[in-house]
Amino acid sequence: MKKILLLSALFISALGFAQTDNINNYKYVIVPEKFDFLKEPNKYNLNSLTKMVFEKYGFVTFFANDKMPDELALNKCKALYGDLVNESGMLNTKLQIVLKDCSGKVLYTSEEGRSKEKEYQKAYYEALRRASASLESLNYKYVAPAATAQTAQPVASATVPAPAQSATPAATPQAVVTEGQLFAQPIANGFQLVDTTPKVVAKMYKTSQPDYYTAQGENKNGVIFKKGNDWFFEYYVNDKLISEKLNIKF
């Protein structure tokens, strides 16, 4: 029995390496705007947060209805499809991150992230954060599929890693400064930011990390966090990362 379990473990490990090789051949990940286990699109900001998780580990990530590069718009099989599997019970919230190809074949399943928080939003955030930690072990780095890589062989070998550079511009934010004073008013699980009108311009929701919030503004979703003594709202507009400096008074 022990030998069978050992062989199974070795087989799963070997399969994991093969899956990693396959995943490295994909530059893009498409995330749904609504998960099957939730009733509303981007409920609890969970879809936006999942998109940011993939971006954190180097993938170029889109929602299904986003404008995409021509190569992806013409062939959606150039992308992986990210999803969350919810295996929650009465006492625990359990999430796993899954990556599938365009045919629905599962290429990667993360470790299970668990939370005992009773409040749904806090529980989902904690479970997602724990599940996402295992993505680091993928050591993801985009490598063009063999057929594409062969065309680069006559060029100096230094050009081979070049495809991995393609995602870096998305990580360089365009700086924007909001001059007006914003006032943070407590709401359930966070704050709403109000200008002098007064008008609610954004809502920010607590995560498990101090001074780090998921956020929703007018037609933009992202994160608000404190860096040094300053607050920043980072989000994407037309696939470009925007870093908006905020003047917040708590």
Side-chain angles (χ1 to χ4, degrees):
M1 185 63 180
K2 289 183 179 179
K3 289 183 178 180
I4 293 174
L5 292 174
L6 179 58
L7 289 172
S8 298
L10 290 172
F11 173 76
I12 292 171
S13 177
L15 182 61
F17 284 114
Q19 290 175 341
T20 300
D21 290 340
N22 289 337
I23 288 170
N24 286 340
N25 292 152
Y26 290 89
K27 183 192 302 184
Y28 306 107
V29 171
I30 296 175
V31 175
E33 295 183 349
K34 175 183 173 298
F35 292 124
D36 290 341
F37 59 89
L38 295 174
K39 295 181 179 180
E40 301 173 16
N42 206 23
K43 182 73 171 177
Y44 307 117
N45 242 10
L46 198 59
N47 299 74
S48 294
L49 200 59
T50 302
K51 181 174 180 286
M52 290 179 187
V53 165
F54 287 121
E55 288 166 350
K56 174 183 176 181
Y57 288 100
F59 294 97
V60 180
T61 313
F62 300 96
F63 285 128
N65 292 329
D66 284 346
K67 183 179 178 181
M68 301 178 187
D70 290 344
E71 65 168 343
L72 181 57
L74 295 172
N75 183 4
K76 295 295 178 62
C77 286
K78 286 184 174 290
L80 291 171
Y81 290 78
D83 204 355
L84 294 185
V85 176
N86 183 5
E87 298 291 347
S88 301
M90 294 292 292
L91 301 178
N92 292 292
T93 297
K94 304 175 185 178
L95 294 179
Q96 286 181 294
I97 299 170
V98 172
L99 284 170
K100 302 177 183 179
D101 64 16
C102 62
S103 68
K105 179 182 177 182
V106 175
L107 298 185
Y108 172 78
T109 301
S110 75
E111 294 181 10
E112 188 175 74
R114 297 190 179 195
S115 174
K116 292 185 178 180
E117 289 281 354
K118 294 181 179 180
E119 188 177 322
Y120 282 123
Q121 182 167 301
K122 290 182 179 179
Y124 284 136
Y125 284 1
E126 183 177 16
L128 177 60
R129 179 174 59 82
R130 293 178 182 276
S132 67
S134 61
L135 281 171
E136 189 167 358
S137 64
L138 280 175
N139 294 317
Y140 169 76
K141 187 175 182 181
Y142 174 65
V143 177
T148 303
Q150 287 175 359
T151 61
Q153 286 179 358
V155 186
S157 60
T159 63
V160 175
Q165 304 293 328
S166 59
T168 47
T172 303
Q174 175 181 324
V176 175
V177 178
T178 298
E179 299 291 347
Q181 179 77 63
L182 299 176
F183 300 90
Q185 299 177 343
I187 58 174
N189 306 315
F191 300 91
Q192 63 181 15
L193 300 181
V194 180
D195 63 17
T196 55
T197 310
K199 173 187 175 184
V200 177
V201 297
K203 292 184 179 182
M204 45 196 286
Y205 300 94
K206 296 177 183 177
T207 69
S208 60
Q209 303 299 315
D211 296 334
Y212 189 93
Y213 300 80
T214 61
Q216 291 178 312
E218 295 180 347
N219 300 317
K220 52 192 178 186
N221 295 312
V223 293
I224 291 178
F225 59 91
K226 190 175 185 181
K227 185 177 181 181
N229 294 321
D230 298 315
W231 287 91
F232 295 88
F233 185 8
E234 291 197 350
Y235 51 89
Y236 278 87
V237 174
N238 296 327
D239 304 328
K240 185 170 184 61
L241 180 62
I242 306 297
S243 183
E244 183 177 350
K245 186 177 179 181
L246 304 177
N247 185 10
I248 305 176
K249 184 175 182 180
F250 287 87

